[in-house]
Amino acid sequence: NDKCRRAEKAGIRFDADFHYGGEIPVFDLGIILHNLLDNAIEACEKLEPGNGFIRLKLKRKKQFLLLEVENSFDGAVPVSKGSPLPSTTKQSIVPEIITEHGIGLENVRDIAERYFGGINIKVKGDVFHVTVMLQQGEAKTK
């Protein structure tokens, strides 16, 4: 709800089809949602007001949860050499000490893998689409 309010306050259309009742701990699901929705909101904020949208869906397929976030963005996907995930464009407040940005998608991927799942990113024109698959059941311990 917080992310929805933040998006709508920024003039971003926010549609959600999300009904949760599974076995994945809320804490882990919260980390995934926080990172994906923050990224989506920040991407939409770079667009002209009124042009941004975010769609959030949670689907079930047998023992799997599929969490999808789709959003508009400026079409530029920064790539890091050797990484399958897009790199961050955020600037650290104190870059010489620590960078607090650029680990969101890695956190999402790590949690997905803990639940025997994964992350899939697709870009089509100016639409960014992330699907996170989680298998309901016992998670791997680190």
Side-chain angles (χ1 to χ4, degrees):
N1 287 330
D2 177 55
K3 302 298 180 192
C4 180
R5 282 191 296 273
R6 179 178 158 204
E8 289 174 348
K9 187 175 179 181
I12 301 165
R13 291 184 320 274
F14 191 104
D15 298 314
D17 182 7
F18 190 94
H19 305 283
Y20 182 67
E23 299 173 11
I24 306 296
V26 175
F27 181 80
D28 288 339
L29 202 56
I31 290 171
I32 292 170
L33 286 169
H34 172 79
N35 284 295
L36 295 181
L37 292 175
D38 266 358
N39 288 351
I41 290 168
E42 289 167 9
C44 289
E45 287 175 335
K46 294 178 182 178
L47 303 174
E48 291 292 321
N51 288 342
F53 72 84
I54 298 171
R55 293 184 196 109
L56 169 64
K57 287 184 187 177
L58 181 70
K59 299 181 201 176
R60 291 182 198 286
K61 288 195 175 185
K62 298 186 181 182
Q63 79 269 24
F64 295 99
L65 285 179
L66 297 174
L67 176 68
E68 298 179 355
V69 176
E70 187 174 73
N71 61 275
S72 53
F73 78 119
D74 63 10
V77 181
V79 179
S80 284
K81 189 174 182 181
S83 174
L85 301 173
S87 59
T88 186
T89 59
K90 300 174 196 170
Q91 297 298 314
S92 179
I93 296 169
V94 190
E96 62 277 1
I97 296 175
I98 190 167
T99 179
E100 65 271 10
H101 301 297
I103 60 170
L105 286 175
E106 289 178 23
N107 286 338
V108 171
R109 181 191 60 205
D110 290 347
I111 291 172
E113 289 175 354
R114 198 176 314 153
Y115 291 92
F116 307 102
I119 182 172
N120 185 9
I121 298 171
K122 293 180 184 174
V123 175
K124 189 168 186 177
D126 59 357
V127 177
F128 194 87
H129 185 101
V130 179
T131 302
V132 179
M133 184 184 75
L134 306 166
Q135 184 172 329
Q136 298 184 99
E138 283 201 35
K140 292 186 219 176
T141 55
K142 284 193 167 188

